[in-house]
Amino acid sequence: MENSENLTQKEKIEFKDSKYATGRRKTSIAKIWLKKGSGKIFVNGKNYEDYFKRDTHKMQLLRPFEIIKQETTYDVKCNVKGGGLTGQVGAMVHGISKALVMFDSEFKTTLKKEKLTTRDSRSVERKKYGHRKARRSYQFSKR
C-alpha cells in the first residue's frame, strides 16, 4: 500500500507554465491547470481512473481530447468540489475545453460545435410550498 502512495507522489508534475480555467456544472466547480505533456490527468491529487469508477464518467472526461484528436498531448491537474460525480465530470469537461481554447484558438470551432465550451446552466428546480417536490403535489383524496 505504501509503495502505491510513493509512486503517486513521484508521478506528480509541475504545472508552472500552464493554462488555467474554471469549469462549472450544477453545484460543482472545477479548477483546471492544463499543460503540454503525456496525457496524465489528476483529480484532487488522484489519477482520474481511481477517482471516477464509472466508465461513462471516464469517457466523458476524455471527450474534449478525442474531439481534437490529441488524447496524449496534454497533462491536466484539477481541483473539483461540490455536487456529485456526474456534475464534477461536467465541470471538468467545461474547464478543460476552455483551457484548450486558450492553448490554440483553432480548437474553438470544433469544441463549440460539440457544445463543450458553453456552461450547462440547468440546475435543480426549487421546492414549492404546498408541494412534495418542485412540481409533484400531495396525493388528492376526496374523503
Side-chain angles (χ1 to χ4, degrees):
M1 193 78 180
E2 243 179 86
N3 268 344
S4 64
E5 287 179 18
N6 290 341
L7 287 174
T8 54
Q9 292 295 327
K10 290 176 188 173
E11 274 186 60
K12 292 197 176 163
I13 307 153
E14 299 242 346
F15 281 84
K16 289 186 178 176
D17 52 320
S18 60
K19 303 288 183 193
Y20 171 80
T22 306
R24 290 186 174 91
R25 183 169 193 282
K26 290 188 173 182
T27 56
S28 301
I29 300 169
K31 299 174 183 176
I32 304 284
W33 288 270
L34 190 81
K35 73 168 201 150
K36 293 270 188 188
S38 58
K40 294 179 181 171
I41 301 174
F42 292 104
V43 184
N44 293 345
K46 294 181 181 178
N47 192 351
Y48 80 98
E49 291 178 346
D50 299 331
Y51 191 82
F52 297 113
K53 301 294 183 195
R54 287 187 190 164
D55 290 333
T56 54
H57 290 157
K58 293 174 191 174
M59 286 179 357
Q60 196 176 353
L61 183 62
L62 297 173
R63 195 156 167 249
F65 299 115
E66 290 170 0
I67 289 168
I68 62 168
K69 296 176 180 66
Q70 295 183 1
E71 288 90 356
T72 58
T73 312
Y74 296 98
D75 288 336
V76 179
K77 178 183 151 193
C78 174
N79 289 337
V80 64
K81 61 182 177 183
L85 290 177
T86 305
Q88 289 182 353
V89 169
M92 284 184 65
V93 168
H94 181 229
I96 288 169
S97 301
K98 283 168 62 174
L100 283 169
V101 168
M102 286 182 201
F103 259 106
D104 192 355
S105 57
E106 292 176 13
F107 295 150
K108 187 168 187 172
T109 54
T110 53
L111 291 171
K112 196 167 186 174
K113 279 180 191 168
E114 299 290 324
K115 296 183 177 142
L116 297 179
T117 54
T118 54
R119 185 197 189 287
D120 189 357
S121 60
R122 295 176 296 169
S123 61
V124 180
E125 190 175 343
R126 79 172 195 85
K127 184 193 175 301
K128 314 301 187 300
Y129 172 76
H131 288 263
R132 216 161 81 184
K133 293 167 73 178
R135 298 185 181 204
R136 170 89 164 90
S137 297
Y138 293 109
Q139 184 171 345
F140 174 74
S141 173
K142 207 166 193 176
R143 286 182 203 111

